[in-house]
Amino acid sequence: MNIQWYPGHMTKTRRQIAADLKLVDVVAEIIDARIPIASRNPDIDDLVAGKPRIVVLNRADQADPAGNRLWADYFRARGYVVMESDAKSGAGVARFTDHVQEALREKIAQWRAKGQVGRPVRAMIVGVPNVGKSTFINKIAKRKSAKTSDRPGVTRGKQWVSVTQGFELLDTPGILWPKFEDERIGMYLAFTGAVRDAIIDTETLASHLMELLRDRNPAALAERYKISVSEEMTGWELLESAARKRGFLISGGEVDLERMSSILLDEFRAGKLGRVTLELPEDLERKAGGDGTA
Ligand SMILES: Nc1nc2c(ncn2[C@@H]2O[C@H](COP(=O)(O)OP(=O)(O)OP(=O)(O)O)[C@@H](O)[C@H]2O)c(=O)[nH]1
Ligand SMILES: [Mg+2]
């Protein structure tokens, strides 16, 4: 399976982000708490070189709470200011302002020393498509300034949103990178809806998701589809079993795997399969030999 999705406008966005960096004091990287590895742009360090950074584990409501804690510790241990949020309900977002202050502590002291009191603070919000950047900004600003929707590629251009006088946020369109170094990354981004479905074979994608859910949250899977789930079952077997249970049949007694696949993906995205963290820090260590930068 080869997933690539790098439309032309993303090249433009990267250029725009690089150009706008000089206008901001801090960069908040919004990542999906269910897939903190896959939803992190591997080029981000180069792209935002030297700016103070905040890592926001968004969609924390859809991820496993224990997973959220592990990831927060992981990023904190690497020197990032970290927060968890559910931008949809607004839980956790109010702490953003404090985190900005924390990330800018040295800067603010320098400004003060130079007599620059009341200097405005500007934060750039970056992340993959559909992770919740615009929703996060709207919740902080307490009004619907930025357009949001449950599909990737909604924000098309940059937009400044003023939170209070002297505190502004810059919304940016979601970006991906030209090449996924590992095919799993494209797949994980497709599970969560960061890349469009149309570019991937739905059944293959769903069978992989079934296997992950089998390993990470078998109880939720069994409960949702009223099927028995065991370690030896393949993703295809699980899909077939769920399709039968739901009565998705096509002529000749065959099961309609395509229909079941779309439903599984929709239900996963809608949070109906429980809170699940698909990637854990230990996956990185296994893969990268422990340096955590894969
Ligand atoms: N459950 C849950 N849903 C969220 C959260 N944050 C955003 N959403 C939903 O995710 C969808 C996408 O949100 P957007 O704010 O448009 O995402 P975006 O990152 O701005 O997307 P692009 O502009 O396309 O890059 C919307 O339907 C939001 O309601 C969250 O923390 N939890
Ligand atoms: Mg947006």
Side-chain angles (χ1 to χ4, degrees), residues 30 57-62 85-90 127-136 138 147-156 171-175 269-270:
I30 315 279
L57 289 165
N58 193 43
R59 294 184 179 273
D61 58 304
Q62 295 183 301
S85 71
D86 164 4
K88 194 171 186 176
S89 77
V128 297
N130 203 38
V131 68
K133 299 175 294 300
S134 301
T135 306
F136 183 80
N138 287 343
K147 193 177 164 207
T148 64
S149 163
D150 207 1
R151 58 197 163 80
V154 172
T155 304
R156 284 305 187 154
D171 192 12
T172 62
I175 50 166
R269 290 173 190 148

Side-chain angles (χ1 to χ4, degrees), residues 18-38:
D20 288 339
L21 267 184
K22 61 179 180 303
L23 306 175
V24 303
D25 306 295
V26 53
V27 174
E29 194 186 344
I30 315 279
I31 62 178
D32 186 324
R34 296 168 298 176
I35 51 165
I37 308 169

Side-chain angles (χ1 to χ4, degrees), residues 17 25 62 69 73-74 106 109 125 130 135 141 149 161 166 171 192 197 220 250 254 294:
I17 286 175
D25 306 295
Q62 295 183 301
R69 275 196 298 280
D73 291 346
Y74 173 90
E106 279 174 35
I125 311 294
N130 203 38
T135 306
S149 163
V161 175
D171 192 12
T192 62
D197 290 1
I250 40 182
E254 291 264 312

